[in-house]
Amino acid sequence: MPQIRVAIVGVGNSACTLVQGTQYYKDAKETESVPGLMHVNFGGYHIRDIVFVAAFEVNKDKIGKDLSEAIWIKPNVCEKFSDVPYLGVKVSPAPILDGVATHMREVFNVYDDSATKESVVQTLKDAKAEVIINYLPVGSHDASRFYAQCALDAGCAFVNCMPEFIGSDASGEWPKKFEAAGLPVLGDDIKSQVGATILHRNLVRLCIDRGVIVDETYQLNLGGDTDFQNMTEEHRLKSKRISKTEAVTSLVPYAVPTRIGPSDYVEFLGNKKICYISLKGRKFGNRPINISVKLEVEDSPNSGGVVIDLIRAAKIALDRKLSGALISMPAYAFKHPPKQIPDSQAHQWTEEWIAGKRER
């Protein structure tokens, strides 16, 4: 049977959802419609073909544990929706770098930093990893680039789920590195199944398509998990705000005042995310139109299915010997892809790419 050998960087709530999801849907019939997945059979690969072979963490309570155990260790607060058997994957220590903000060191229970790039690359090679999933916290500029380089050195595809611009690097430096290495990179910043960004984009798109002039819009997000606690330091949010803002403003053919991004950490919300979206515009006769929306979701499961599709897309890219930044699937799955296009078009491009009708 085919396998997709996956390494996870950061065993937090998102990783917990991803690992659970592969178990929850492992016996799904190919004729089923699975919530959050494009297809049960995605380009020849079933969900059960995903096999986790390595994981990296800075939390000393998770290091050395089997991945099936580590995903439940605090500060993880993701709800359980599937049993996970022993996986035989020991969580390895990771370099801390800037992956842990000063105010998060106690929360993440960090160990004494001793891991090196050589040890990470060797672990990936020993595990015969093919795809690396980057789940580092927002603001991990250096750490994200560290793992991108590890992917290059170990011969792995790189799926960047957080807002550091690797696949969409405007300078072209990182896409060129992956192209030179003959490896694909998919990024950046995961767009959830039905999250704040995709909802906001569709509200804006509706107004533009119906001839409404958008005068201003904002999005306020609240959450209670470590992702939101990490983002209480504003200096770690620069790329996150760019990513979320451009995902919306890219659909508007003129400048529009915006304020989009994380707003506050509310501990008792746990893994729940609450989003408030406001849009003000003008319709026929310059008469005002105001739209206010509240979205409430479990945060981590909202992205799990999208990442399962991205893993399979990365494997297809490896099979086809594609290198550098992919275009079609990232436009569908990320907030800050190399090319921003409307979501309906991105969905069509992705389906065509799966079928082999689009090169990238």
Side-chain angles (χ1 to χ4, degrees):
M1 297 296 292
Q3 279 191 348
I4 311 174
R5 301 178 66 82
V6 177
I8 299 175
V9 177
V11 186
N13 290 304
S14 294
C16 181
T17 290
L18 174 63
V19 174
Q20 287 190 79
T22 57
Q23 294 297 317
Y24 191 77
Y25 290 118
K26 66 180 180 180
D27 296 321
K29 295 180 175 60
E30 296 193 2
T31 54
E32 280 187 72
S33 179
V34 171
L37 297 176
M38 295 188 73
H39 305 287
V40 172
N41 183 324
F42 187 105
Y45 290 99
H46 194 281
I47 304 146
R48 61 174 164 263
D49 297 330
I50 295 172
V51 178
F52 300 104
V53 297
F56 300 92
E57 248 296 335
V58 298
N59 187 321
K60 62 186 177 185
D61 288 341
K62 298 178 183 180
I63 294 168
K65 300 290 196 305
D66 188 74
L67 181 60
S68 62
E69 181 182 357
I71 58 175
W72 306 116
I73 294 175
K74 291 183 177 181
N76 289 11
V77 292
C78 182
E79 291 289 336
K80 181 177 180 179
F81 59 89
S82 178
D83 290 329
V84 178
Y86 179 80
L87 298 173
V89 180
K90 185 173 73 172
V91 176
S92 300
I96 296 170
L97 303 171
D98 61 354
V100 181
T102 302
H103 72 292
M104 297 296 293
R105 292 185 70 89
E106 184 176 351
V107 176
F108 283 144
N109 197 17
V110 295
Y111 76 113
D112 293 331
D113 193 357
S114 59
T116 63
K117 183 163 76 72
E118 290 73 23
S119 67
V120 171
V121 171
Q122 192 60 53
T123 298
L124 292 168
K125 288 182 176 180
D126 290 346
K128 297 182 173 58
E130 298 175 290
V131 179
I132 296 176
I133 304 298
N134 180 20
Y135 274 140
L136 285 170
V138 170
S140 303
H141 176 280
D142 296 342
S144 292
R145 286 155 179 79
F146 170 90
Y147 280 102
Q149 186 60 53
C150 287
L152 291 166
D153 293 348
C156 299
F158 191 66
V159 178
N160 186 37
C161 296
M162 51 87 64
E164 286 298 331
F165 305 146
I166 307 296
S168 60
D169 177 11
S171 73
E173 176 186 357
W174 283 101
K176 287 176 183 176
K177 285 183 178 182
F178 277 89
E179 187 171 357
L183 297 166
V185 56
L186 293 78
D188 301 296
D189 197 7
I190 197 75
K191 189 193 296 176
S192 293
Q193 181 182 354
V194 181
T197 297
I198 190 69
L199 178 58
H200 203 162
R201 279 173 61 92
N202 276 278
L203 287 174
V204 169
R205 187 71 192 179
L206 171 66
C207 289
I208 298 300
D209 287 349
R210 302 299 294 175
V212 173
I213 300 298
V214 179
D215 289 322
E216 63 181 63
T217 187
Y218 67 78
Q219 178 193 127
L220 307 178
N221 301 327
L222 312 174
D225 57 20
T226 52
D227 186 34
F228 277 86
Q229 188 174 4
N230 168 67
M231 292 188 291
T232 55
E233 284 198 358
E234 182 65 30
H235 77 271
R236 294 181 69 86
L237 295 179
K238 181 179 179 182
S239 60
K240 182 69 171 178
R241 291 203 184 279
I242 292 171
S243 176
K244 290 181 73 67
T245 300
E246 288 186 358
V248 173
T249 57
S250 64
L251 301 175
V252 185
Y254 45 83
V256 57
T258 58
R259 175 65 172 179
I260 298 175
S263 305
D264 207 354
Y265 166 65
V266 183
E267 184 177 3
F268 62 77
L269 290 178
N271 198 219
K272 183 187 295 181
K273 178 177 180 178
I274 297 175
C275 164
Y276 296 94
I277 298 173
S278 175
L279 185 151
K280 293 184 179 181
R282 286 170 287 131
K283 57 181 180 177
F284 182 74
N286 264 350
R287 306 315 299 155
I289 177 171
N290 297 324
I291 301 174
S292 296
V293 175
K294 177 185 177 183
L295 172 69
E296 185 174 317
V297 294
E298 284 184 65
D299 199 18
S300 300
N302 214 6
S303 67
V306 181
V307 177
I308 286 175
D309 285 344
L310 281 165
I311 289 170
R312 296 185 290 178
K315 175 60 173 173
I316 292 170
L318 287 170
D319 292 344
R320 295 178 184 173
K321 302 190 183 309
L322 300 179
S323 61
L326 298 193
I327 302 298
S328 300
M329 184 71 195
Y332 173 79
F334 291 109
K335 298 182 185 77
H336 199 272
K339 185 177 181 65
Q340 289 277 15
I341 57 175
D343 295 287
S344 58
Q345 184 180 355
H347 186 275
Q348 180 183 340
W349 279 17
T350 300
E351 294 287 13
E352 292 172 353
W353 179 81
I354 295 169
K357 298 177 181 177
R358 293 188 69 86
E359 182 180 355
R360 306 189 72 78

